[in-house]
Amino acid sequence: MLTALPDSAVRRSACSVLQEEMVEEVLAMLGGAMQELTIGPAVDYATDVPPVIDAEAQATLLAQITRLEQGGARLLMRTAWPAEMQAMAM
């Protein structure tokens, strides 16, 4: 979006139109793209989403998700951590 719309005012206008007219379609596309992401160890080049660095970072992220949901935000997707990754964390 930055390349296509270099001016910040134009980007804001484009986003407001997007929100009003195409939000469900775009959210569905984002959800589909998220399903294609690979969760795994940071050392694996195939990994798109590595683990957070520690339990404190995880707690911070989960607290932010909770705050956003309580404020009315919609969570697009929640996925379980792969079983093989859980075993590695122990």
Side-chain angles (χ1 to χ4, degrees):
M1 185 166 207
L2 291 175
T3 303
L5 304 171
D7 182 85
S8 63
V10 173
R11 282 196 303 273
R12 284 192 299 275
S13 294
C15 287
S16 66
V17 170
L18 172 70
Q19 290 174 353
E20 294 171 10
E21 297 177 5
M22 298 173 38
V23 69
E24 292 305 318
E25 181 180 348
V26 170
L27 291 177
M29 288 189 304
L30 284 172
M34 291 169 67
Q35 289 176 340
E36 297 299 317
L37 295 173
T38 301
I39 299 171
V43 297
D44 184 347
Y45 288 117
T47 294
D48 297 308
V49 182
V52 294
I53 195 158
D54 58 25
E56 181 181 351
Q58 181 184 26
T60 300
L61 289 171
L62 294 174
Q64 179 66 8
I65 290 168
T66 300
R67 278 193 296 277
L68 289 169
E69 288 179 318
Q70 289 172 347
R74 183 167 113 193
L75 185 65
L76 291 182
M77 179 178 292
R78 185 180 301 265
T79 186
W81 193 249
E84 64 273 10
M85 292 300 298
Q86 291 175 6
M88 293 173 79
M90 294 180 181

